Amino acid sequence: RILQARIRFFSTEVEMAAVAKSFATRGTRLVNFARPHLETFWGHAKRELGPPTDFGAVQREAQALFAKAPTFANTPVRRAAQNTLIAIEIAMWFYVGEVIGKRQLIAYPTK
């Protein structure tokens, strides 16, 4: 029995060594696969998620955006009424969705 226990112990070590080697090779392959993708990601992230460096361009673009936007003073009454009805319709669909989500008309279930 002692001999069988030692044989099992050594065979377990051999199996574990094979598993460890398999994990090491898979880990290396994973790192080699992911490295170029992560380098591309970090390059884009540094450029896109960083603060703007040319504040003059940001200011010019903001002014151009606001220049294109319609002002409330120049909006005709008919268009203002249409916009109001559209906003009310969107709000009502939101409330209908809330009622459907709650599955009851008043309050959330407390159970």
Side-chain angles (χ1 to χ4, degrees):
R1 290 187 173 188
I2 293 174
L3 183 60
Q4 289 176 348
R6 286 185 180 174
I7 291 173
R8 275 193 228 132
F9 177 74
F10 288 122
S11 67
T12 305
E13 281 186 4
V14 171
E15 290 172 8
M16 290 301 292
V19 169
K21 184 178 178 182
S22 172
F23 277 134
T25 56
R26 287 181 184 185
T28 304
R29 288 187 0 217
L30 177 67
V31 168
N32 290 338
F33 173 77
R35 180 172 286 135
H37 298 289
L38 289 174
E39 288 173 357
T40 303
F41 169 76
W42 286 118
H44 291 305
K46 285 179 186 176
R47 185 174 58 250
E48 297 295 330
L49 300 177
T53 55
D54 185 14
F55 290 106
V58 172
Q59 186 178 15
R60 285 189 300 275
E61 294 213 13
Q63 288 174 350
L65 180 67
F66 287 119
K68 291 179 184 177
T71 59
F72 291 110
N74 296 333
T75 305
V77 174
R78 180 183 175 110
R79 186 68 183 157
Q82 288 174 345
N83 290 342
T84 303
L85 289 175
I86 291 170
I88 290 171
E89 181 182 10
I90 291 170
M92 290 299 120
W93 277 114
F94 171 77
Y95 293 131
V96 167
E98 282 282 317
V99 169
I100 292 171
K102 291 186 293 189
R103 295 186 179 165
Q104 59 189 28
L105 190 60
I106 299 173
Y108 283 96
T110 56
K111 291 182 180 180

